[in-house]
Amino acid sequence: MAQTSGGITISLCMIVKNEEKVLARCLDSVADLMDEIVIVDTGSTDRTKEIAARYTDQIYDFAWIDDFSAAKNYALEQATGDWVCFLDADEFMEAKDSQRLSAVLERLWKTHRADVLTCTWVNVDTDRGNHVISREYVQRIFRNLPYLRYRGAIHEHLSAGERDKSIINVLDESIVIYHTGYSQSLMEAKGHRNLALLQAEAERNGFSEEHAVYFCDCYFGLGDMENALKYARIAAKLPRERQLLPGEEYHIYFAALENMGQGDREEYASILPKAVQRYPEIASFWVRWGLYLHRSGHYSEAREKLVQALDCLATNKKSTARDIVVEKGQDLFPEAFSLLARDDRMRRGQGKAIKHLVQALKLFPHEKRLLRELFLSMRDMPQKKAKTLLQLKLKKLQAYSFRDK
């Protein structure tokens, strides 16, 4: 096995089935970085294995047993590198990110500062011109430790079992994995597949309340809002320590009610404080509460919640804690912070509006609505002063772009 300049080795692990359309894109994006490529095929009938053979001779067959963790752990058993990078075929990295990853892993290896590297996961809908659906955090890069394995037949997650509390998880948002598997044309088939797996597991072992969040996620993806809401209610009754996907139960709960036209109803209002109490670190819950209060005419209280959301985001940006915050509903942020700026201009003056917009733009430099609000807030300011402010506060502000693949 080849080694990087610092002496560490990286194994790419993948499980695949009928991925001939996307596999080469994934492997092309990271092959030069990897010292070893392990491909586990679970029953392809297309050219997947032929394509994989261009990149590696470590191709293994694994009989599919309706268990994603079993297949992934089989791949891990074949890996010999110091670090593992686990990717799906419908994912890829840009060159700058894969190059940076090598340097980051070298540093973490030397300093023994991390067992798991959490990175940014960008969901892109290729059916809608590479529209960015969401940005989340995922654990795909980790030390090759014998006790660090996947658990869960579906919605599998990385775990060290009884040693979980000793695992050091470091967040590096600059390492980005792009994912195209949530494109609209693919979602329905995946949703039906995952739902069938969940139902089969429930028949074998009985329904587990902890799995309610998985059911509501499947039903939501399939557009069945009534069942999504049914299982979200079950999941929301469980305490935080029993949540398999912390925060997801409320993310879907809110979204299902909104899709059913109940975003201003009593039930929606009743779960807002509950979500914030359980997950005070999730900014989108504060945003939803602020927007609801604003719609209800409680402007002062709404402003407090939106300011709290900004503070949450700023704190989370600096966090390297084991419990990485998963933010969803980010499409709400531009509207919310634009609303906050307009309220600031009307009630608290130009200075407050500029302060909060600068804070928001540091977090979301690609949002044109926020830039527009900033310019509106600065229009009465002397030109020289405005230019100096922009130079000081928004030094390297650049429009976000997604490079077409």
Side-chain angles (χ1 to χ4, degrees):
M1 181 187 293
Q3 289 188 328
T4 62
S5 59
I8 68 163
T9 52
I10 309 171
S11 297
L12 172 67
C13 288
M14 303 179 70
I15 63 169
V16 298
K17 181 180 179 181
N18 293 337
E19 302 286 5
E20 65 177 6
K21 293 181 180 179
V22 292
L23 181 58
R25 180 188 65 182
C26 175
L27 291 172
D28 282 339
S29 74
V30 296
D32 289 344
L33 170 67
M34 301 301 164
D35 303 288
E36 176 182 60
I37 297 176
V38 175
I39 306 286
V40 171
D41 189 281
T42 61
S44 292
T45 56
D46 63 1
R47 297 174 52 251
T48 293
K49 291 170 74 172
E50 177 188 333
I51 293 168
R54 300 176 196 164
Y55 301 84
T56 181
D57 58 2
Q58 290 184 252
I59 302 171
Y60 304 88
D61 291 313
F62 184 84
W64 181 242
I65 56 173
D66 291 345
D67 189 325
F68 283 96
S69 287
K72 286 192 171 185
N73 289 335
Y74 179 73
L76 290 178
E77 289 170 10
Q78 319 310 318
T80 61
D82 300 312
W83 288 93
V84 171
C85 175
F86 221 117
L87 295 180
D88 291 340
D90 55 9
E91 297 172 336
F92 61 91
M93 298 178 74
E94 291 193 318
K96 60 181 178 60
D97 296 318
S98 62
Q99 291 164 5
R100 174 171 166 72
L101 175 60
S102 178
V104 169
L105 294 183
E106 296 246 9
R107 186 180 72 250
L108 293 176
W109 183 264
K110 290 176 182 176
T111 59
H112 302 282
R113 286 188 54 220
D115 301 306
V116 178
L117 178 66
T118 295
C119 55
T120 303
W121 194 51
V122 177
N123 286 302
V124 179
D125 188 345
T126 54
D127 295 337
R128 292 191 287 162
N130 292 329
H131 169 73
V132 175
I133 303 169
S134 66
R135 293 178 181 82
E136 303 172 31
Y137 298 132
V138 291
Q139 297 177 335
R140 296 301 188 78
I141 302 158
F142 48 92
R143 288 180 188 264
N144 190 1
L145 302 172
Y147 50 83
L148 199 54
R149 290 294 183 264
Y150 285 96
R151 287 168 173 76
I154 185 173
H155 291 289
E156 66 283 1
H157 61 283
L158 201 60
S159 172
E162 295 179 354
R163 303 191 193 190
D164 263 350
K165 291 184 179 179
S166 67
I167 294 298
I168 302 172
N169 182 7
V170 170
L171 171 66
D172 191 328
E173 290 183 301
S174 69
I175 306 298
V176 181
I177 296 172
Y178 293 97
H179 176 238
T180 59
Y182 286 171
S183 297
Q184 287 181 325
S185 59
L186 303 173
M187 281 299 293
E188 186 172 356
K190 284 190 174 183
H192 285 299
R193 177 201 67 187
N194 291 348
L195 183 58
L197 291 174
L198 284 169
Q199 290 170 334
E201 185 174 0
E203 287 180 11
R204 287 194 304 269
N205 305 314
F207 174 74
S208 167
E209 289 183 329
E210 280 86 350
H211 289 175
V213 68
Y214 295 153
F215 277 94
C216 72
D217 180 56
C218 282
Y219 282 118
F220 184 83
L222 291 170
D224 185 343
M225 296 303 150
E226 288 190 6
N227 271 314
L229 191 56
K230 169 187 170 182
Y231 284 100
R233 287 170 177 148
I234 296 171
K237 290 178 180 178
L238 299 179
R240 178 168 178 157
E241 58 270 18
R242 290 181 62 187
Q243 297 294 338
L244 299 178
L245 299 173
E248 189 72 5
E249 73 278 19
Y250 280 116
H251 284 305
I252 298 176
Y253 203 156
F254 288 126
L257 286 171
E258 289 162 1
N259 274 274
M260 295 173 74
Q262 298 181 27
D264 292 315
R265 303 280 179 87
E266 184 178 341
E267 183 175 9
Y268 192 90
S270 70
I271 63 173
L272 284 164
K274 293 176 183 177
V276 164
Q277 183 178 16
R278 180 178 291 179
Y279 302 106
E281 73 277 20
I282 296 184
S284 58
F285 295 161
W286 290 102
V287 163
R288 277 193 158 94
W289 199 358
L291 291 174
Y292 173 81
L293 288 167
H294 196 275
R295 289 194 300 270
S296 305
H298 301 288
Y299 303 117
S300 180
E301 293 177 56
R303 182 183 179 280
E304 290 176 8
K305 307 309 184 216
L306 296 179
V307 170
Q308 182 63 46
L310 263 180
D311 291 341
C312 267
L313 287 169
T315 300
N316 296 340
K317 191 86 171 175
K318 301 173 185 176
S319 174
T320 57
R322 288 192 182 96
D323 292 328
I324 303 299
V325 177
V326 176
E327 281 293 358
K328 291 190 176 180
Q330 292 193 29
D331 54 324
L332 298 171
F333 292 163
E335 175 195 353
F337 299 140
S338 295
L339 196 66
L340 177 61
R342 291 194 291 273
D343 183 79
D344 281 336
R345 284 202 302 271
M346 290 174 58
R347 302 169 190 276
R348 288 168 177 79
Q350 182 185 50
K352 278 286 186 184
I354 292 172
K355 175 187 173 183
H356 287 140
L357 284 165
V358 167
Q359 190 177 353
L361 278 162
K362 284 182 178 178
L363 297 164
F364 304 103
H366 53 285
E367 289 297 347
K368 293 179 181 179
R369 277 177 286 183
L370 296 176
L371 269 174
R372 185 167 58 249
E373 290 295 335
L374 179 63
F375 292 138
L376 286 172
S377 299
M378 296 172 65
R379 62 185 172 186
D380 296 328
M381 186 179 290
Q383 185 176 1
K384 186 175 180 180
K385 184 177 180 181
K387 183 178 179 180
T388 302
L389 177 67
L390 283 173
Q391 289 174 337
L392 287 174
K393 298 291 187 179
L394 306 172
K395 294 177 183 177
K396 296 180 180 179
L397 187 62
Q398 296 176 343
Y400 175 85
S401 64
F402 173 77
R403 184 157 61 87
D404 183 59
K405 289 283 176 182

